[in-house]
Amino acid sequence: MTQSRSLIVTTGNKPSDETVALAHSYASALDAPYIIRKKRAIATLRADYGVDEVLVCADRVTLHVEDQEFFFHPSMANTRIKRLKSGENDVVIERTGVRPGDTVLDCTLGLGSDAIVFAHAVGETGRVIGLESSPVIALLVQRGLQEVSVDTQAVNVAMRRVEVLCADHLDYLRAQPDKSVDVIYFDPMFRRTVQKTQYMEPLRHLGDDRPLSEAAIEEARRVARRRIVLKERWYSKEFARLGFFIPKKSTGTINYGVIDLEEGQGGEPS
């Protein structure tokens, strides 16, 4: 992974040997300078080194972007998996049709919440690959998926199953064999969400907010065996532009478009 020099890595104000070692490992992985904290405030570090982003290794690893903070946690995946275990439906699993043993490619990993739920749904015989174009987000999520634990063991197991790759999804798709995954999922909208939250705001500065390209969907049609799903706002024109069918009307602000390859032309899924 390679990161621009707009990022520095440091520790908390009273670092242990372990957190110093952790900070060095992040700095190396991101090709970013490690800076000794010397009890300086984050704003002071940004000004001193002329950077926008400061990665702090302490009790947890936190990315500071301007006046916002980001750290990994499984977000709603914890609640969603609990609901699945209790017999309730999950709208993303319903729309994607993901089932045990599937290989799922999440082309816009972001925070990894959907990928964690996919990993629960595919089970131990399945596979979930998540692509994230931002090196710092990819690394934070990759390590978080392996190190963070919650009170639901099924969520912990699912997190450990997700494979994270730092890659542009179009480049990755172009390199894959025909019909090599079951389901391909795109959620480009989290970069452009209307509601500004402290947790999501840093991702807008780091993420790739370009619209999905027709070339990416063309490659996805080649690579997917069964289904391609796009998550967008209910009123989005992206569904029509990219050839997605909407199987159900939205009951909220979000909708899901489907290209069902088993029927050949992206028609209504079976």
Side-chain angles (χ1 to χ4, degrees):
M1 297 180 182
T2 301
Q3 182 73 7
S4 73
R5 293 300 181 183
S6 64
L7 171 74
I8 60 172
V9 180
T10 189
T11 63
N13 283 319
K14 297 180 179 180
S16 64
D17 291 342
E18 289 78 9
T19 54
V20 170
L22 181 64
H24 277 290
S25 75
Y26 269 91
S28 176
L30 293 167
D31 190 23
Y34 166 75
I35 303 298
I36 298 175
R37 182 70 179 265
K38 296 180 180 178
K39 297 185 178 181
R40 286 173 288 184
I42 298 299
T44 302
L45 286 169
R46 281 202 300 266
D48 287 350
Y49 293 93
V51 297
D52 298 319
E53 305 153 26
V54 180
L55 188 71
V56 178
C57 295
D59 292 338
R60 67 185 178 197
V61 180
T62 305
L63 178 66
H64 297 253
V65 183
E66 297 183 351
D67 60 345
Q68 308 292 331
E69 298 180 16
F70 164 76
F71 57 90
F72 173 81
H73 64 75
S75 189
M76 284 299 295
N78 196 9
T79 300
R80 290 167 61 191
I81 289 175
K82 286 180 180 179
R83 289 173 177 169
L84 283 168
K85 286 176 63 63
S86 69
E88 297 182 44
N89 291 331
D90 181 89
V91 65
V92 178
I93 299 303
E94 180 183 325
R95 297 295 193 273
T96 57
V98 168
R99 53 202 186 210
D102 276 351
T103 296
V104 179
L105 177 62
D106 184 340
C107 286
T108 46
L109 178 68
L111 309 179
S113 182
D114 285 328
I116 296 168
V117 180
F118 289 143
H120 174 74
V122 303
E124 61 183 10
T125 60
R127 185 182 183 194
V128 175
I129 304 160
L131 307 181
E132 172 51 53
S133 61
S134 165
V136 65
I137 295 175
L139 185 60
L140 280 170
V141 174
Q142 179 185 53
R143 293 195 175 183
L145 286 164
Q146 296 303 312
E147 297 167 3
V148 170
S149 293
V150 295
D151 60 356
T152 305
Q153 184 58 19
V155 178
N156 297 328
V157 170
M159 286 194 291
R160 308 301 185 256
R161 288 195 187 120
V162 179
E163 304 169 38
V164 178
L165 298 176
C166 182
D168 174 85
H169 62 256
L170 179 55
D171 292 342
Y172 182 86
L173 286 166
R174 283 173 170 162
Q176 302 313 300
D178 293 357
K179 307 301 179 187
S180 53
V181 304
D182 295 290
V183 175
I184 295 179
Y185 181 68
F186 294 96
D187 175 13
M189 65 161 295
F190 83 96
R191 308 279 197 203
R192 309 188 301 275
T193 183
V194 174
Q195 183 180 8
K196 293 187 177 183
T197 65
Q198 182 178 6
Y199 187 56
M200 293 293 292
E201 195 64 18
L203 301 186
R204 265 182 281 278
H205 297 272
L206 297 170
D208 181 358
D209 62 357
R210 294 174 297 173
L212 282 180
S213 67
E214 293 179 1
I217 302 305
E218 182 179 353
E219 289 296 325
R221 283 179 173 271
R222 180 184 62 80
V223 174
R225 284 190 284 264
R226 196 166 76 242
R227 187 169 292 183
I228 308 166
V229 174
L230 171 64
K231 178 182 179 182
E232 267 288 356
R233 297 189 185 99
W234 68 268
Y235 55 79
S236 176
K237 296 180 180 179
E238 291 293 274
F239 296 122
R241 181 178 74 86
L242 297 169
F244 284 83
F245 169 79
I246 300 175
K248 291 186 179 182
K249 292 183 178 179
S250 172
T251 57
T253 60
I254 305 303
N255 217 337
Y256 297 84
V258 171
I259 296 174
D260 194 324
L261 301 168
E262 290 182 327
E263 295 199 3
Q265 299 299 322
E268 183 171 356
S270 56

